[in-house]
Structures are given as C-alpha cells and as structure tokens.
Amino acid sequence: MSTIDTEQTTDNTDSGAPIRRLAAWDTDSLCNLAAEFETPLYVIDAQRVRENCARLLDAFPAATIRYAIKAHSGQAVLKVIRDAGIDVECASAGEVKAALAAGFNGNRIQYTAVNPPARDLDAIINWWQENKQLTITVGAADTVERLQERGFDGRLCIRVNPNVGAGHHEKVTTGANAKFGIPYERVSELATQWATEFDLVGIHAHAGSGISGEDLSSHEELVRRMGTLARTITECAGSLEFVDVGGGFGVPYRANDPPLDIHTVAERTRDALGTVDATLAIEPGRYVVADAGVLLTRVNTIKSARETTVVGVDAGMTTLLRPAMYDAYHEIENISASPTTDSMPVTIAGPICESSDIFAEGRSISAPTRGDIIAIGTAGAYGYEMASTYNARPRPAEVIYDDNTAKVARRRETRDELDVLETSSDEHSVSLSSVVSHSHSSVAPESTMSSSSTGDTPPGGESQ
C-alpha cells in the first residue's frame, strides 16, 4: 500500500459525468504512481467504478444488472461492483471462481457457456452443488446434454442467436455470429422440452461489444425479437424469470466523441422489449470499468525515422492488445511534459517484435524525452484482461486507489515466474505408441476429473 497522496488524482468537477476523459486525471498524481510502482502500470479508480454502477442502476431501476466479468476480473474491482449491488455474468469457469472468491453468492452469478471445455463444466457443476441458485446459460443443445450427463437439473437460461449484431469491430459483433447461441427459430421448441427437465428461468442474447448511438437501432431490433420470443415461450412453456438482452454499451474512446446517453438507451430498450411477464436483464462490462482505468508507460527510445519519429515505450501489445487486435483508438498524452511544451506528431511503439505493436501513428503529443511518462486513457476494460506473456515478457502491475490511498491490486509478474510451468523431460512422459493409439479413437472421452484435480478449487476450500 502506498502513502502517495491521491486526493487530487481526479478532477472533482468531472465526478459523476457520463464519461471521464484522459484530461480529467491529475497528471502529477499519475506520475507519482508511476515512480512508486514502476511501469508499465495500470491504474484503476474505485470511485469511478462506483459512479458508473450508480448511473446504470439509476437508468435501469427495475432491471437485473449483471456485470460482464471479462471486461476486468480483478478482485479489487469485483468487490466494488458487488458492494454497489450489481450481479455478475461469467464466460468461463475461471471467471465463476473469481466471482465466488469476491463474495458473490450463487444467486448473483450467471455462467454463460460458449463451447465449454469439459474441465470447465466439471468445475461449474461442482460449484453448483454448493450454490444451487447459480444460473447456467447454454448456447447449444449439445451443451445441455453434457450438463445432464453431469447431473445438472437446475436454473437454465437459453442463449439465442437472433441474427442481429452490432459493435465497434467485426471481431466483437456476436448477435449474428453462428458461434453464439441457438438459432432464434429453434428456441421455442427446445424451451418447451427443457422446461420439463430443468428450471427454465430465462432467455439471453447479446448483439456485440462497444455499441454506440449509431448502433442502437440494431440493439432495439434484437430486444424487440427477444420480447416476441419471450411471449411465445410463456404461452408454450410457462413463464420466465428474466429476458437478458446483453450489454455491449459503448464508451467514447476519442476525446471529441459524445458519451452514450444511457437513460435514452434504457428507455428505448424497455420500449423495444414491450410487455413481458419477466424482468429485463442487461450485462454491461466495458461501461462499468473502461474510463475508470489508465495505462502508464515510460519512454525509453526516441528515433528519427524516414517519415516519422518513433517513440518507444515499455508497454506493448502484450500489455494492451486492443490497438493491435481491433485497430482501437485510445487517447494518449505525455503527462511528464509541461503545458508549454510544443506538440509533435509521433508513432508510439512498444518493445514487442511485431509490426502490429503500435499504439498510435501520426499522433500529436507534447514532444517527449527519454524517461517521460505516457498515459493511455480509457484502459480499464479489456486491458489487463487481454495481457499476455508473448516474447517472454511478464505482465504488468495494477494499482487501485480509493479513499486517497493507492495499493497494489495485481503485482508485477517476474521473469522467473514465466518458467514455473516448465517441467523436466522425464517428469511426465508416455509411450509414443499409446499416444498414437488414443489419437485414432473416434471420440475422446469427456473429462470426469473433479474440480480439485483441475486446479479449480472452490474459494475457501483446499486442494485434495
């Protein structure tokens, strides 16, 4: 825990605003945090997370709100969200484990299975035995069969593919992607069958991620179809507890882009759903944490190239993948420079041996010198979560500050820790003939390992 004074880390006039721009962060405090905890460093503001949760609760007062953990799964953040009164949606067994560890009860957890590996289902069923109110969302009839084989007969939600998608990039547009959900036209029949075998509690669909005002018509069409489907299922299979229309509510990454009017989104969502005998549910992720985080990185190289000046920094695509993965834009500032420093166009590049390891090209920032701190804004969502150890580079540290105190939420990974999974050549070996024989088998058996044998020990338990 640091004794750094973070009282002025945020501009109090920005408190409660629908979006926090990079300029609203106090640069002196951020530079102090970089000096104290080194770089690359993620910084998360707990109070901003609370403000975003409060805004959602105000806009959707009668809805069930589930935070999509994949945006940021850190324990410190999850506990803030838990205390704010928002539930969670989990896309993996690991995220369910994180939710349980953060103190969410089973009735506040929804697990959305997307082609779930056997070891995920084994772990989920193990936790369900102790948390019978946990809801499992399925996107394939095959997954239902696999759950039945494991003895599941609990709370079931059906993920629907409504053939309507939206989002900031084709790689995050899910509503019309065949990978996600059961085709809309098949759901009523399956719901009628599964209502006799499970506690059928809801239907779910998700258009995509980063939905802006321009995409709201697609979101509305998805919600409209889900309302129609809910009314049909109620007639043929009985009432539902909720209709979940996903999240994906976008935030403006560019300084001049307008923020999403979440109250307008809420009103249009309710109107599109129509009258249903069920509670509306939503699953925001990015909206809750994106503007609550920044990434700090230090300049280590300045190189004059043929057509640009390359500014090398110690963060890279292994630290923040979004620019390389989605061509995503993030605000960037040289926060070490004085207000009178002239600006210049530069290319900001990381240390990874890939041409895609670029944060910005032709971006105008205050002229940097070696050792300056560069701040990358709106980095609280899908930042640390998508970090990797490619090029054998340890993952960064993350600090969270709250009540004028900054503390390490996730410590910096070390180079030595990158080797912990390495084994000696004779530690685990099998004969080549047995491997070949097994690979020729037509269907590989599903895992029947307990959660403890897969490392998925429920929080509070001990490995056997």
Side-chain angles (χ1 to χ4, degrees):
M1 184 176 295
S2 172
T3 57
I4 289 178
D5 180 11
T6 58
E7 185 174 358
Q8 297 302 318
T9 303
T10 61
D11 179 349
N12 291 331
T13 62
D14 187 62
S15 178
I19 187 67
R20 173 187 283 167
R21 313 290 184 177
L22 184 54
W25 295 75
D26 183 80
T27 57
D28 288 341
S29 295
L30 291 178
C31 285
N32 288 340
L33 290 172
E36 174 78 7
F37 298 104
E38 303 182 349
T39 57
L41 179 71
Y42 277 102
V43 179
I44 302 293
D45 177 7
Q47 180 56 30
R48 185 60 187 177
V49 175
R50 292 190 190 94
E51 291 171 5
N52 292 338
C53 289
R55 193 177 305 105
L56 285 165
L57 289 165
D58 183 61
F60 291 91
T64 298
I65 304 177
R66 303 183 178 111
Y67 166 68
I69 285 186
K70 63 179 179 287
H72 190 295
S73 66
Q75 286 290 296
V77 168
L78 291 181
K79 289 174 181 177
V80 171
I81 292 169
R82 177 203 66 196
D83 292 345
I86 287 180
D87 298 342
V88 288
E89 182 269 336
C90 306
S92 70
E95 290 181 2
V96 172
K97 183 177 182 181
L100 290 168
F104 286 92
N105 297 324
N107 63 351
R108 298 183 64 183
I109 299 173
Q110 181 161 308
Y111 166 61
T112 304
V114 180
N115 303 329
R119 60 175 52 90
D120 270 34
L121 291 185
D122 291 341
I124 293 297
I125 294 304
N126 186 70
W127 294 324
W128 168 72
Q129 298 291 350
E130 301 298 325
N131 297 272
K132 288 300 181 75
Q133 290 302 303
L134 186 150
T135 301
I136 298 181
T137 300
V138 295
D142 187 76
T143 303
V144 172
E145 293 177 5
R146 297 167 68 199
L147 288 169
Q148 287 177 313
E149 290 169 359
R150 289 164 168 79
F152 178 74
D153 61 359
R155 291 170 56 85
L156 188 76
C157 173
I158 303 175
R159 180 163 188 170
V160 181
N161 185 310
N163 202 30
V164 177
H168 69 83
H169 192 280
E170 62 181 10
K171 293 181 180 178
V172 296
T173 300
T174 59
N177 189 314
K179 174 180 177 179
F180 301 98
I182 295 171
Y184 184 91
E185 59 274 14
R186 294 191 55 211
V187 172
S188 294
E189 177 185 354
L190 290 173
T192 302
Q193 173 188 337
W194 291 339
T196 65
E197 301 167 345
F198 304 92
D199 182 9
L200 182 64
V201 293
I203 55 175
H204 163 278
H206 177 61
S209 185
I211 297 172
S212 68
E214 298 175 353
D215 304 311
L216 278 185
S217 59
S218 295
H219 171 73
E220 285 178 292
E221 178 58 26
L222 177 146
V223 176
R224 192 173 295 112
R225 294 185 185 189
M226 292 295 284
T228 299
L229 181 60
R231 289 183 283 274
T232 299
I233 290 174
T234 298
E235 292 178 358
C236 64
S239 62
L240 298 172
E241 182 180 306
F242 62 82
V243 179
D244 189 333
V245 298
F249 304 144
V251 299
Y253 284 88
R254 296 176 183 269
N256 296 324
D257 287 346
L260 192 67
D261 185 340
I262 197 65
H263 285 83
T264 295
V265 173
E267 181 179 357
R268 291 172 65 172
T269 298
R270 288 187 289 265
D271 290 345
L273 184 65
T275 301
V276 294
D277 185 19
T279 299
L280 170 68
I282 59 171
E283 296 178 355
R286 182 190 315 272
Y287 189 90
V288 176
V289 293
D291 72 346
V294 297
L295 171 62
L296 304 180
T297 181
R298 189 177 296 275
V299 175
N300 54 50
T301 305
I302 300 176
K303 178 176 66 175
S304 295
R306 291 186 183 90
E307 299 177 350
T308 187
T309 296
V310 177
V311 177
V313 296
D314 60 4
M317 59 186 284
T318 55
T319 317
L320 177 64
L321 182 60
R322 295 189 72 254
M325 182 81 165
Y326 307 121
D327 298 318
Y329 181 100
H330 287 261
E331 285 188 85
I332 298 177
E333 291 183 10
N334 178 2
I335 61 174
S336 293
S338 71
T340 60
T341 303
D342 291 337
S343 296
M344 61 182 291
V346 299
T347 293
I348 303 172
I352 309 304
C353 190
E354 296 283 348
S355 58
S356 59
D357 186 33
I358 302 290
F359 288 122
E361 293 182 277
R363 187 72 64 87
S364 182
I365 65 171
S366 297
T369 59
R370 191 185 308 146
D372 282 356
I373 300 299
I374 302 296
I376 302 177
T378 323
Y382 304 103
Y384 191 99
E385 294 309 303
M386 299 181 79
S388 75
T389 59
Y390 179 52
N391 271 188
R393 293 193 179 277
R395 287 176 294 180
E398 180 179 78
V399 298
I400 186 167
Y401 66 84
D402 195 11
D403 194 23
N404 301 332
T405 301
K407 64 179 181 179
V408 175
R410 296 195 255 208
R411 65 174 176 79
R412 191 175 307 282
E413 198 169 28
T414 67
R415 290 190 183 91
D416 288 343
E417 287 173 322
L418 299 181
D419 302 328
V420 297
L421 300 182
E422 298 280 354
T423 63
S424 62
S425 59
D426 58 353
E427 184 173 327
H428 178 80
S429 60
V430 295
S431 68
L432 183 60
S433 60
S434 68
V435 173
V436 172
S437 174
H438 181 71
S439 69
H440 287 168
S441 134
S442 59
V443 178
E446 285 243 62
S447 169
T448 56
M449 294 186 293
S450 68
S451 64
S452 60
S453 64
T454 63
D456 291 320
T457 307
E462 295 181 350
S463 297
Q464 299 299 314

